[in-house]
Amino acid sequence: MKIKRLLIQNFRNIAFLDLSPSPSFNVIYGANGTGKTSFLEAISYLGFGRSFRTSKYQSLIKDEDPFFSISADLLRDEDSFTDEVGVIRYRQKSQNSVISVNTTRSSRIIDLIDKTSVQVIHPQGINLVLEGPELRRNFLDWGIYYTLPEYKKIWSDYKRLLNSRNALLRDKQDLSYLEFIDNPLSELSENISELRENYLESLLPILSEKLSLFLPDFSFEFSYSKGWEKGISLSSVLALNIEKDRNLGYTFYGCHRADLKIKTNNFPASELLSRGQLKLLVCAMRLAQGELLKQEANKRCIYLIDDISSELDERSRSILLQDLRKSDNQVFITNIAKDIKIQECEDAKLIDIASLVFNI
């Protein structure tokens, strides 16, 4: 999947933008505050249905404008057909979002996400390693989501049952109803955990190869902690901990509590690596995901690299750019200057963001 045409309106400080990007590399350069990160943020909204910088979508709408809109023509990987996707979000909460996929309107953001696979590497991206396990669960789930069509329903069914169980626990209702929830909940949790473990097993050979290039002086260990004790079924764990869960008001054990543990030279990576090394680790993880996606599903993703010079020296940038070039994915890079050297890439496009954005 690659963007053939992108239109952005009233998004952050971008009043209007119409771009036909290069199918390979696009370097967006310009001074701070000219809209470079906002440009990437708009593309990422198509892939996640949210911003990678804020959870408040109203702050994405320019000035006092009533809405923002983002649309793109996406060239499919498997054929020459193009998907037309778009989203409009209004400042007034009473006005529903409008999702459009090939002229069909929808209110479900997931219909947009299904068509647009995006990977983002930005200065705060090291939180994947530094912060809590939710980001690392999302990392694994992203890979499974785009390679296994049925995963969407499996995860949706699990969340529905989990919410029902938590409601019973919070309301202190008759807990005998839990027996109708715990068995299917446990089966789904076991299924999700197995899918995550299998995905990690497939990812590790690719990831190890990239880490040997990015961080050759370190050894890494990745392990999946499924959210309850190994060697015992989740249904048994839930039965043994009903009183604990009732006191807490929520379900403590299950795949929603899973984590991806990352160690470096036998220490937690978060404690041993510098910020620059953490960024290289995250780059390797994101690039490995893209390569596995191509191998298993014959799909490409779009890479968004915000402020490529942040935390990365010239050698690190060179390794990152060379790996991206070999991947044959579409790449958007932001930098203050345009002096980004991309070897053996004749169709790279340099984009002066200040000359592209119309502040109407």
Side-chain angles (χ1 to χ4, degrees):
M1 177 203 64
K2 296 183 178 183
I3 296 175
K4 290 182 63 178
R5 186 184 182 191
L6 176 70
L7 289 96
I8 304 170
Q9 185 176 1
N10 301 336
F11 189 91
R12 294 275 194 193
N13 59 342
I14 300 175
F16 182 77
L17 179 149
D18 185 349
L19 174 68
S20 296
S22 166
S24 59
F25 278 82
N26 299 271
V27 178
I28 299 92
Y29 67 92
N32 290 331
T34 51
K36 302 187 302 296
T37 301
S38 299
F39 175 84
L40 297 189
E41 195 178 7
I43 298 175
S44 75
Y45 206 97
L46 296 176
F48 298 109
R50 55 178 169 77
S51 163
F52 62 82
R53 298 167 68 192
T54 179
S55 59
K56 299 178 180 179
Y57 77 87
Q58 287 91 344
S59 64
L60 304 176
I61 303 173
K62 185 178 181 295
D63 300 331
E64 299 302 318
D65 288 308
F67 67 92
F68 75 72
S69 68
I70 311 163
S71 60
D73 295 341
L74 304 175
L75 182 64
R76 297 180 189 175
D77 290 309
E78 66 273 15
D79 51 45
S80 59
F81 290 102
T82 300
D83 289 310
E84 298 176 1
V85 301
V87 57
I88 301 173
R89 296 217 66 173
Y90 295 93
R91 189 179 297 278
Q92 294 295 329
K93 293 183 178 180
S94 58
Q95 291 184 275
N96 294 328
S97 303
V98 177
I99 309 298
S100 176
V101 178
N102 294 328
T103 70
T104 300
R105 287 198 168 191
S106 169
S107 60
R108 304 191 318 158
I109 200 72
I110 201 166
D111 293 330
L112 185 68
I113 296 170
D114 283 346
K115 295 292 185 182
T116 319
S117 54
V118 172
Q119 287 278 12
V120 184
I121 297 172
H122 57 99
Q124 291 73 45
I126 60 175
N127 289 337
L128 175 63
V129 183
L130 294 178
E131 291 193 353
E134 181 180 3
L135 292 176
R136 293 183 289 279
R137 289 195 297 270
N138 291 343
F139 170 81
L140 295 173
D141 289 340
W142 183 96
I144 304 169
Y145 182 92
Y146 284 108
T147 54
L148 193 69
E150 59 265 34
Y151 188 64
K152 178 168 55 178
K153 184 178 187 308
I154 294 171
W155 179 249
S156 176
D157 288 347
Y158 178 79
K159 288 291 290 183
R160 176 177 51 79
L161 288 172
L162 180 64
N163 289 338
S164 297
R165 191 178 197 272
N166 288 342
L168 287 173
L169 293 168
R170 285 193 305 270
D171 297 341
K172 312 294 183 183
Q173 295 184 22
D174 183 356
L175 297 186
S176 63
Y177 287 108
L178 291 181
E179 65 179 283
F180 300 104
I181 295 177
D182 285 3
N183 284 337
L185 182 75
S186 298
E187 290 178 7
L188 288 168
S189 190
E190 300 273 9
N191 191 1
I192 290 168
S193 294
E194 183 179 1
L195 290 171
R196 287 173 174 170
E197 289 174 330
N198 291 342
Y199 178 78
L200 181 60
E201 184 179 354
S202 299
L203 184 70
L204 283 179
I206 302 171
L207 180 53
S208 297
E209 183 179 344
K210 294 191 183 302
L211 286 170
S212 67
L213 293 174
F214 281 52
L215 294 163
D217 297 329
F218 296 90
S219 61
F220 291 88
E221 179 186 346
F222 296 82
S223 60
Y224 178 71
S225 173
K226 61 183 184 177
W228 71 94
E229 185 180 348
K230 287 185 177 181
I232 183 170
S233 67
L234 179 59
S235 57
S236 298
V237 173
L238 293 177
L240 290 170
N241 288 276
I242 287 179
E243 286 303 317
K244 176 180 179 178
D245 287 351
R246 182 166 64 176
N247 291 331
L248 290 171
Y250 61 86
T251 305
F252 188 81
Y253 297 99
C255 68
H256 60 284
R257 303 276 297 181
D259 195 4
L260 174 61
K261 306 284 188 179
I262 308 173
K263 286 188 175 182
T264 307
N265 295 354
N266 297 317
F267 290 93
S270 58
E271 298 176 8
L272 188 65
L273 299 181
S274 69
R275 288 184 62 87
Q277 290 164 343
L278 284 168
K279 186 166 183 178
L280 286 173
L281 168 59
V282 172
C283 286
M285 293 171 68
R286 300 292 187 192
L287 290 167
Q289 278 200 313
E291 189 168 322
L292 182 60
L293 179 66
K294 187 177 178 181
Q295 287 182 10
E296 294 199 337
N298 195 30
K299 295 179 181 178
R300 293 180 178 85
C301 58
I302 297 169
Y303 278 94
L304 309 176
I305 318 292
D306 189 28
D307 195 3
I308 191 171
S309 297
S310 173
E311 313 286 357
L312 296 182
D313 57 24
E314 186 175 353
R315 172 192 169 276
S316 300
R317 292 196 300 270
S318 177
I319 293 173
L320 172 59
L321 291 170
Q322 185 177 11
D323 198 285
L324 285 167
R325 184 185 59 77
K326 291 190 299 184
S327 72
D328 192 31
N329 290 302
Q330 191 176 38
V331 182
F332 294 85
I333 299 170
T334 67
N335 198 47
I336 291 178
K338 62 179 179 180
D339 57 345
I340 301 295
K341 299 177 182 178
I342 306 168
Q343 298 179 355
E344 301 178 19
C345 185
E346 297 179 356
D347 57 348
K349 195 166 191 175
L350 296 175
I351 302 167
D352 180 356
I353 191 70
S355 66
L356 186 67
V357 173
F358 293 92
N359 294 302
I360 301 171

